[in-house]
Amino acid sequence: MVLMGAVGFLLLIVCANMANLLLARLSSRRREMAVPGALGASRWEVAKPIVAESLLLSLAGGVFGLLAAFGGLRLLSSLPEGQLPRMDGLSLDGGVLLFTTVISIGVALAFGLLPALHASRQDLRDNMQESSGTTGSPYARGLLSGLVVIEVALALVLLVGAGPMTRSFSKLLLVSPGFDSTNLIAARVLLPSTKYQRATQVRFYEDVIERMRRAPGVVNASAVSAMPLHDVGAAGALPFNVEGQQPPATEDPLADVRIVAPGYFEPMKIKLLEGRFLDERDAEVGPRTSAIDETMARRYFPDRSPLGLIIQNPHGKSQVVGVVGDVHNQGLDRDPKKQVYLPTKQSPTAGMAVVARTNQDPMTVANTIQRVIWDVDPGQPIYELSTMDQILARAVFLPRLSTTLLALFALAALLLAALGIYGVLSYSVSQRTRGIGLRMALGASGGNTVALVVKSSVMLVAIGGVVGLVAATLLARSMQGILYGVGPFDIPSFALAATTLMMTGVAASVLPALRTTRVDPMIALREQCVRPGSRPRLRARSV
């Protein structure tokens, strides 16, 4: 929804620029448009050519946009597999194309009507006698300035939104997942229940892990029922209780359960905080054991060690023999959940991911994993083979994509707002040539004239900035759910966005302002004295 809002704001900025363009173009067609009105044409007949021009612009832009979308989609689809996930089968959607086409044409017509109705309402006598242009009136200049204020306000909203998103993503990348993803690869296997029973399931994974540990390039190997950051939701939360301890009255104790093969924590490099890891001692025959994570220990055993306590859940009773570090299993932007680890010999499962740590590029041993699994069972399929770096990249894919798109939208809005400011000031300078020449003829310096133009630009940017800050404040709460470690009312982002926009507005006004210093006072005064339509006698008297 935030990205859709950003697209809508960007579209409105484009429309405001188009309205400014059409208003400026009408300055050279004032007398041309006055002729049909003088001959009895209605306001709609006068405005119709302008609306048609607006529609033509929108259709031409839509065609180029469609070509850009098609080309961009082809480019994304050509990226290596895994670099940009979820791209399989992605195509241009007919419903989306129809929606965007209708919206684009609708707003183009709406913003095209604005200058068209303005042009058709002018006084016929003034239109026929003056050549100063439709947009030379105070009303038109105010309309142009108002559109620029809208552009600046919308651009500031996008800049303010991009700031917290960028800071949020940078903080997200600094979050430790709780394991070391370097040189780690995983292969997902699901054993058919018709072929493998509980005992044979355990033997299959024991054989695969033992063969993997002896394979060249492999440092260590093990298996887990649900990979962190990947099989989200596979380790379902189950109720549990601690023997001899009353559960908290305010909640039902729940904890995710993961089944791990012996030695799982070592290749993952998950920290041991207390007790020991689950290993070969946790056999099918003997006391049932388990390990819990730091979050669970801190939540339910804040004043004592959980080692030796008996936990009971739907898998049965087990004694806690170790406390390990937290792992962000559900996502880097989510707090670690309470976690219970059970040994696979005591709680077998058909589906597990075989993980291996290598001393080289993990993809170089991908064929080794496949060969080992097929050596144990030639007919067993492998459902997925990924490095942990790829899984980690997929886990931050949506935040990265959202941040990148919003930053691009904000940059495009900033450039469009700068173009709008430049266009309005350029038109204003062209309309005020006589006044500027008169000021310079009376002794005004070029610096004073430049400062006058820049001052008008700063006023427009300041007004738009105030409006944009108010709008950004009202809309900031909508971003609360997609930010990590940053509040929606991020003061540095607000300040940086306002400063960037102000500097951009000043930079966009420099070129039109410098153009005023090249105005020849004599030419400007001659234009002031010799008006189109005046008689030669008055022209000579004025000279």
Side-chain angles (χ1 to χ4, degrees):
M1 295 303 295
V2 171
L3 290 178
M4 285 294 293
V7 172
F9 284 169
L10 194 61
L11 180 61
L12 289 177
I13 294 174
V14 172
C15 292
N17 256 343
M18 186 178 69
N20 271 333
L21 170 67
L22 293 175
L23 282 169
R25 281 174 60 85
L26 294 178
S27 62
S28 61
R29 300 170 57 187
R30 186 174 183 183
R31 297 185 67 187
E32 171 192 339
M33 298 189 63
V35 171
L39 296 177
S42 64
R43 290 186 63 184
W44 168 244
E45 290 175 331
V46 175
K48 189 160 53 174
I50 305 172
V51 176
E53 184 176 355
S54 170
L55 184 59
L56 182 62
L57 285 174
S58 67
L59 290 177
V63 170
F64 282 112
L66 183 60
L67 293 175
F70 182 76
L73 189 61
R74 293 286 298 272
L75 178 63
L76 293 177
S77 301
S78 65
L79 292 177
E81 185 179 358
Q83 184 171 346
L84 196 61
R86 307 180 186 179
M87 291 299 296
D88 296 338
L90 192 62
S91 61
L92 295 179
D93 183 78
V96 174
L97 288 178
L98 179 62
F99 172 79
T100 53
T101 301
V102 171
I103 291 295
S104 300
I105 294 177
V107 295
L109 290 175
F111 279 80
L113 280 174
L114 185 64
L117 294 177
H118 173 70
S120 63
R121 67 180 288 274
Q122 300 297 318
D123 183 76
L124 294 177
R125 185 171 180 271
D126 292 340
N127 285 349
M128 296 295 291
Q129 289 185 352
E130 296 184 11
S131 64
S132 60
T134 300
T135 51
S137 67
Y139 174 80
R141 289 196 298 269
L143 185 59
L144 287 172
S145 300
L147 290 172
V148 170
V149 168
I150 293 175
E151 290 183 61
V152 171
L154 294 175
L156 184 60
V157 171
L158 291 179
L159 285 172
V160 169
M165 283 285 290
T166 303
R167 293 191 62 199
S168 172
F169 182 66
S170 63
K171 288 191 174 185
L172 189 64
L173 293 180
L174 297 177
V175 175
S176 172
F179 59 89
D180 185 4
S181 64
T182 306
N183 292 340
L184 203 60
I185 191 169
R188 185 73 184 173
V189 179
L190 179 60
L191 301 178
S193 58
T194 56
K195 185 176 181 180
Y196 288 91
Q197 306 304 316
R198 289 172 59 90
T200 53
Q201 290 172 0
V202 173
R203 284 198 296 270
F204 172 86
Y205 288 113
E206 285 181 339
D207 289 347
V208 170
I209 293 171
E210 184 62 30
R211 291 168 183 261
M212 281 299 304
R213 289 173 177 172
R214 296 197 304 264
V218 176
V219 177
N220 205 342
S222 188
V224 63
S225 59
M227 286 299 297
L229 299 174
H230 181 55
D231 301 317
V232 178
L238 298 177
F240 73 94
N241 60 73
V242 181
E243 193 173 81
Q245 178 175 313
Q246 291 294 328
T250 57
E251 64 175 283
D252 294 328
L254 296 173
D256 287 353
V257 175
R258 273 178 165 76
I259 312 299
V260 297
Y264 166 72
F265 301 100
E266 288 88 337
M268 296 293 293
K269 294 189 176 181
I270 298 175
K271 296 179 180 179
L272 177 65
L273 303 180
E274 193 176 357
R276 66 174 178 85
F277 287 135
L278 299 178
D279 52 29
E280 299 292 346
R281 288 172 286 181
D282 306 299
E284 181 179 1
V285 179
R288 297 179 63 86
T289 57
S290 62
I292 64 175
D293 67 352
E294 183 182 4
T295 294
M296 185 170 174
R298 185 173 57 250
R299 173 65 185 87
Y300 295 107
F301 316 105
D303 53 355
R304 60 173 173 162
S305 171
L307 298 182
L309 297 179
I310 304 298
I311 293 178
Q312 183 173 3
N313 62 19
H315 288 267
K317 293 183 178 181
S318 62
Q319 184 181 34
V320 177
V321 298
V323 179
V324 299
D326 288 332
V327 177
H328 291 262
N329 291 303
Q330 281 71 33
L332 297 180
D333 57 343
R334 300 183 184 182
D335 294 333
K337 297 182 68 175
K338 299 179 289 292
Q339 184 73 55
V340 175
Y341 297 94
L342 300 177
T344 184
K345 291 183 180 180
Q346 298 176 359
S347 301
T349 181
M352 298 194 78
V354 178
V355 296
R357 179 166 294 279
T358 68
N359 55 13
Q360 53 190 329
D361 182 0
M363 289 306 296
T364 59
V365 301
N367 292 332
T368 302
I369 295 180
Q370 293 177 342
R371 186 176 63 254
V372 165
I373 292 175
W374 291 337
D375 285 345
V376 177
D377 185 348
Q380 176 58 44
I382 299 174
Y383 292 97
E384 187 177 0
L385 188 64
S386 302
T387 67
M388 284 306 300
D389 284 335
Q390 292 173 337
I391 293 176
L392 197 60
R394 286 196 289 267
V396 297
F397 165 68
L398 288 179
R400 175 185 281 118
L401 179 64
S402 301
T403 302
T404 303
L405 289 178
L406 194 56
L408 290 175
F409 292 157
L411 178 60
L414 187 65
L415 294 176
L416 288 171
L419 287 175
I421 295 170
Y422 171 80
V424 168
L425 290 182
S426 295
Y427 170 75
S428 177
V429 168
S430 67
Q431 292 296 312
R432 297 164 61 186
T433 300
R434 292 192 293 269
I436 292 172
L438 182 60
R439 286 173 57 87
M440 297 183 67
L442 295 177
S445 64
N448 290 336
T449 307
V450 170
L452 180 65
V453 176
V454 173
K455 180 182 177 181
S456 63
S457 169
V458 171
M459 286 296 296
L460 290 177
V461 176
I463 296 173
V466 171
V467 176
L469 286 175
V470 173
T473 303
L474 296 176
L475 295 173
R477 292 190 183 277
S478 64
M479 299 185 62
Q480 179 68 53
I482 60 175
L483 297 178
Y484 176 81
V486 178
F489 303 100
D490 187 49
I491 301 302
S493 298
F494 276 69
L496 180 61
T499 302
T500 301
L501 194 61
M502 183 63 70
M503 294 175 61
T504 302
V506 173
S509 63
V510 168
L511 191 58
L514 292 177
R515 193 180 302 162
T516 62
T517 61
R518 297 196 294 267
V519 174
D520 190 335
M522 295 305 298
I523 296 177
L525 290 175
R526 189 178 302 119
E527 291 181 356
Q528 172 71 19
C529 299
V530 182
R531 297 177 58 83
S534 58
R535 290 178 295 177
R537 179 173 56 85
L538 296 177
R539 200 178 299 167
R541 182 181 300 172
S542 298
V543 173

